Amino acid sequence: MTPSSPSSVTAAERATSVCVPVGTTDWLAAPDAAMKRDAVAGLERGDVVLFPHLPFALSPAEAKLLDPAVVKEGTKTVKYDPDTGRVWGYAEGIDAAAMKSMMERYADHTRRLLGALTPYGSALKIGNTSFRPVEAQGRQQSKRHDDTRLHVDAFPSRPSHGQRIMRVFTNVHPGTKPRVWRVGEPFETVAQRFLPKIAAPFPGSAQLMKLVGITKSRRSPADHYMLQLHDRMKLDDGYQSIVPHQTVEFTPGQTWMVFTDQVSHAAMSGQHALEQTFTLEIDGMADPERAPVRVLERMKGRKLH
Ligand code: SIN
Ligand code: FE
């Protein structure tokens, strides 16, 4: 990446808070022009767009689900696919109808909010919804699966071919417990640090992984580099201990959205969150040059998908 590129995020841009507040307090109200402008500019720049007062109200039956016992043993989230209506990852005997209604409504509300706030239109596609009632701090897991380590998101089994990953979160804790995140360096800085160490994909590996079912479709070079970035960040103890970061606390009733494939993030602690994943075609962005794949392509000097 050349320092003069208009799309690079400078340290000065990140020097102040990484959060851009947007004043929407109603999921279904029409946002004004300033809200739309701030949200899209903030998202694409690699900031966290924060709605300081945008709670997601639960019915009494849904509120009873705020319990780590509702997840199936060995998992940490309950998932919902808005395209099929399927819910999975929950323990036997829970109120499955309430679970589904909560997830369905969260998917619907986040979709409508993004539809009103952004110009992305049909380039933005809804993915899975997740409910996270398990405390994020102190879970036993491998470094690669440990989201308390700073990372950028990448899909291991669903090749994205350079599509963006955007996630919306709401802290639905019934008390006062914040969800605490760390936000690390701008994507360009992360890439400059790790990309030179990553070897090109092994010739034929993409076809092989599809053939044996590791991936659902051919993994592009862009996916290869994004997955490697995710893994190398998380596995590097030295990096994790020295990398500059900001700590952000999201209190109950707050909602935030972020391009998690671009923004280095870690969830340090917190309990009871809802999350909705979206994918976005790069060409749907206001400034496609800010997409991680474009940053990597400029650094590599060639197309990666
Ligand atoms: C993550 O995407 O790394 C986890 C975020 C969270 O659960 O708050
Ligand atoms: Fe993540």
Side-chain angles (χ1 to χ4, degrees):
M1 144 130 276
T2 52
S4 59
S5 163
S7 294
S8 67
V9 178
T10 64
E13 272 187 288
R14 291 300 285 282
T16 47
S17 174
V18 292
C19 281
V20 178
V22 170
T24 306
T25 55
D26 178 344
W27 291 92
L28 307 178
D32 63 29
M35 289 170 176
K36 293 188 199 180
R37 187 195 56 220
D38 290 353
V40 173
L43 284 170
E44 295 199 6
R45 191 165 59 228
D47 285 341
V48 176
V49 170
L50 172 68
F51 302 89
H53 184 78
L54 187 57
F56 184 72
L58 303 181
S59 71
E62 291 165 355
K64 289 206 185 102
L65 301 171
L66 298 174
D67 180 344
V70 303
V71 300
K72 196 170 149 185
E73 219 183 302
T75 57
K76 52 185 186 181
T77 57
V78 179
K79 292 207 168 137
Y80 169 69
D81 179 349
D83 289 333
T84 62
R86 187 167 88 93
V87 187
W88 69 101
Y90 57 86
E92 263 174 52
I94 69 146
D95 184 345
M99 182 65 81
K100 184 167 179 181
S101 81
M102 175 172 78
M103 306 286 256
E104 198 169 31
R105 207 170 64 260
Y106 192 67
D108 181 61
H109 279 45
T110 56
R111 174 164 38 196
R112 287 161 77 160
L113 177 66
L114 273 167
L117 210 49
T118 72
Y120 299 146
S122 60
L124 187 75
K125 300 221 164 40
I126 199 158
N128 288 342
T129 318
S130 70
F131 173 49
R132 308 177 176 207
V134 180
E135 170 58 53
Q137 185 176 33
R139 283 189 306 232
Q140 288 304 315
Q141 56 221 323
S142 67
K143 285 182 189 171
R144 193 175 267 116
H145 289 111
D146 184 356
D147 288 339
T148 69
R149 292 172 162 260
L150 281 162
H151 64 283
V152 289
D153 286 350
F155 292 131
S157 63
R158 249 175 311 153
S160 67
H161 301 284
Q163 278 187 90
R164 310 300 315 276
I165 305 172
M166 189 202 291
R167 293 194 149 128
V168 184
F169 296 85
T170 302
N171 183 343
V172 291
H173 191 279
T176 55
K177 187 170 207 172
R179 197 166 194 85
V180 181
W181 273 28
R182 282 183 178 171
V183 176
E185 304 174 308
F187 184 81
E188 286 80 354
T189 315
V190 173
Q192 270 154 7
R193 218 188 265 268
F194 288 99
L195 196 62
K197 301 178 193 164
I198 302 174
F202 188 66
S205 62
Q207 286 89 332
L208 189 65
M209 282 188 286
K210 174 161 189 296
L211 207 66
V212 301
I214 294 174
T215 52
K216 296 190 180 98
S217 60
R218 207 180 66 80
R219 183 180 284 172
S220 69
D223 289 317
H224 166 79
Y225 289 108
M226 290 303 292
L227 277 164
Q228 283 284 321
L229 278 181
H230 168 274
D231 288 0
R232 283 172 187 259
M233 290 173 81
K234 278 190 174 170
L235 297 177
D236 190 333
D237 292 335
Y239 176 70
Q240 293 290 331
S241 63
I242 57 110
V243 65
H245 61 266
Q246 291 184 28
T247 299
V248 188
E249 297 199 350
F250 303 105
T251 54
Q254 295 194 324
T255 293
W256 61 105
M257 51 175 71
V258 56
F259 277 117
T260 53
D261 58 347
Q262 173 180 8
V263 177
S264 167
H265 62 284
M268 307 311 291
S269 63
Q271 193 183 8
H272 304 310
L274 280 160
E275 175 272 335
Q276 177 63 54
T277 299
F278 293 87
T279 57
L280 176 67
E281 299 289 346
I282 293 176
D283 291 340
M285 295 175 65
D287 182 2
E289 294 310 309
R290 291 200 186 254
V293 61
R294 293 286 160 81
V295 174
L296 299 179
E297 285 178 343
R298 282 196 292 277
M299 290 176 70
K300 285 275 172 201
R302 62 185 174 90
K303 281 245 164 277
L304 294 177
H305 67 119

